[in-house]
Amino acid sequence: MSTSRRNFLKWATAAGAALTVPKAGRAHEHFTGYPDSHGVLHDTTLCVGCRKCEEACNRVNSLPAPDKPFDDPSVLETKRRTDDRTFTVVNQYPVSTGAKSPVFRKQQCNHCQEPACASVCFVSAFTKTPEGPVVYDASACVGCRYCIVACPFNVPAFEYGKALEPEVVKCTMCHPRLLEGKLPGCVEACPQEALTYGKRNDLITIARERIRKYPDRYIDHIYGEHEVGGTNWLYITGAPFEELDLRTDLGVTPAPELTSGALSLVPAIVGVWPALLGGIYLISRRNEKNATQEREEAVRTAIDTTQAAAKEAMKQAREKADQDKEKAVELAVKKALEAAAKEKGKEEL
């Protein structure tokens, strides 16, 4: 994040504190994913923890060399997570039951069908592509890091070590390579074929067939088929998912449906941002000696021009909240009646 964008975010936030304008942004519109998107199926029963995928990811993305070489098995003795220098990691899990021990699992961005990072990004720095990957536009990012907080898989990382132009970084499923007709680097490098790239629908079919053919080898569940609305990175395994640090408490509701209501009430960010964008951003491009005076003037202008819109937005937000409450009550009553009817039917039998 450059100095100009950092100042812009700071001043915009200060101005927004003067107003409370609840209004949902475009990033919170419901999106159901691209039906023909591609993804990767990771079969942990085939993974041997060789970390060739890590090495390929490091090379393809021109990342810094790790502290220990990729063929050093001692790395597996420590549980790791992705960061700004490592877009994917392979961890070793000594599982208790249901599979050979240990089990190795590759961790990276899961590329959600309806990504939480995109749903909370009010400048659309994160985008779900038709090809399947979730990608990031550094030129749009203002460094708020909401994406890091929102991700249910704890994936996006911020380049805190960079004083100038830090970015939010993560696996992109090698999106530039996909556009060239190539495989993701990790998939191409896997010697055990533990990673399979293809259309998401085809991968689900492949996974189901493996589970059907070898029921003693796999748990009868494809992780990522439905979790948080579905992901483009899928897992099948013979080990309990929770023992592989795969969250089992996420449910199937897409992230945007969970975040839109709360984020629509965040002041300054989604309410006054468009107005502030035109009035305040110019400050960051002027001489430092005039910055204070111009900042105050721009804030006043932004507030004056958004007062009417703020009142209307507040009215719409309250109306929507009332409608949501009514729908929730109707749904609860309907479910109660249906349950009562079923219970009555059982008693009559």
Side-chain angles (χ1 to χ4, degrees):
M1 182 173 57
S2 66
T3 302
S4 59
R5 285 193 286 128
R6 181 178 287 107
N7 287 337
F8 170 51
L9 179 61
K10 178 178 64 177
W11 299 332
T13 303
L19 291 172
T20 301
V21 190
K23 184 176 180 181
R26 185 172 66 86
H28 307 130
E29 295 177 0
H30 184 66
F31 172 67
T32 57
Y34 294 101
D36 294 325
S37 64
H38 287 62
V40 177
L41 171 64
H42 178 27
D43 186 340
T44 69
T45 69
L46 300 177
C47 184
V48 296
C50 68
R51 300 177 62 215
K52 294 293 184 183
C53 55
E54 288 190 39
E55 184 176 12
C57 178
N58 180 276
R59 181 178 63 255
V60 168
N61 292 287
S62 301
L63 298 174
D67 296 333
K68 295 183 179 180
F70 290 105
D71 58 358
D72 185 345
S74 67
V75 174
L76 296 171
E77 297 174 2
T78 303
K79 189 176 296 184
R80 300 169 296 148
R81 58 149 293 178
T82 57
D83 55 34
D84 60 321
R85 296 163 53 92
T86 312
F87 294 173
T88 187
V89 296
V90 175
N91 280 322
Q92 175 179 275
Y93 300 90
V95 298
S96 58
T97 59
K100 65 180 182 180
S101 185
V103 172
F104 301 95
R105 180 177 74 85
K106 179 180 181 299
Q107 176 183 336
Q108 68 297 300
C109 175
N110 285 337
H111 301 281
C112 302
Q113 289 275 78
E114 301 183 61
C117 56
S119 75
V120 300
C121 184
F122 51 87
V123 292
S124 299
F126 278 96
T127 307
K128 178 69 175 180
T129 65
E131 295 79 23
V134 177
V135 299
Y136 166 78
D137 179 4
S139 66
C141 181
V142 295
C144 71
R145 285 160 278 179
Y146 284 178
C147 53
I148 296 176
V149 177
C151 178
F153 301 107
N154 196 28
V155 169
F158 190 69
E159 295 179 319
Y160 290 101
K162 290 187 177 181
L164 301 175
E165 302 292 343
E167 299 179 4
V168 176
V169 292
K170 70 173 191 65
C171 158
T172 65
M173 205 190 296
C174 293
H175 186 247
R177 288 174 59 89
L178 301 186
L179 297 180
E180 296 175 0
K182 300 178 181 178
L183 290 172
C186 59
V187 176
E188 186 176 71
C190 182
Q192 299 296 118
E193 298 185 357
L195 304 174
T196 304
Y197 174 80
K199 285 189 175 181
R200 185 175 185 272
N201 292 336
D202 294 340
L203 295 177
I204 292 174
T205 300
I206 293 171
R208 285 177 179 162
E209 177 59 21
R210 291 186 188 178
I211 294 172
R212 183 200 66 79
K213 190 173 181 179
Y214 304 105
D216 296 335
R217 181 186 299 177
Y218 299 100
I219 291 176
D220 188 9
H221 182 77
I222 304 170
Y223 191 93
E225 181 178 9
H226 301 297
E227 278 75 8
V228 289
T231 62
N232 283 69
W233 198 283
L234 307 166
Y235 293 92
I236 53 174
T237 182
F241 293 111
E242 57 271 19
E243 293 188 17
L244 301 184
D245 286 343
L246 286 168
R247 293 183 60 181
T248 57
D249 61 340
L250 297 175
V252 299
T253 303
E257 294 185 19
L258 300 175
T259 58
S260 60
L263 288 174
S264 65
L265 300 178
V266 177
I269 295 174
V270 293
V272 301
W273 193 267
L276 291 171
L277 183 61
I280 301 178
Y281 184 66
L282 294 176
I283 297 175
S284 64
R285 307 185 63 87
R286 298 180 184 272
N287 295 331
E288 187 64 27
K289 62 181 180 180
N290 296 321
T292 301
Q293 179 181 353
E294 292 177 346
R295 178 172 67 248
E296 294 174 352
E297 184 178 335
V299 170
R300 286 195 298 270
T301 300
I303 293 176
D304 290 343
T305 57
T306 54
Q307 284 290 355
K311 293 179 181 179
E312 181 62 24
M314 179 69 76
K315 178 182 177 182
Q316 293 177 2
R318 288 173 177 171
E319 292 176 351
K320 184 178 183 303
D322 292 339
Q323 293 173 0
D324 290 343
K325 290 180 181 179
E326 292 178 1
K327 290 180 180 178
V329 172
E330 291 176 0
L331 180 59
V333 172
K334 181 179 178 182
K335 289 183 177 180
L337 292 175
E338 290 176 350
K342 289 182 180 179
E343 188 64 28
K344 182 178 180 182
K346 292 179 180 179
E347 293 176 355
E348 293 177 350
L349 292 176

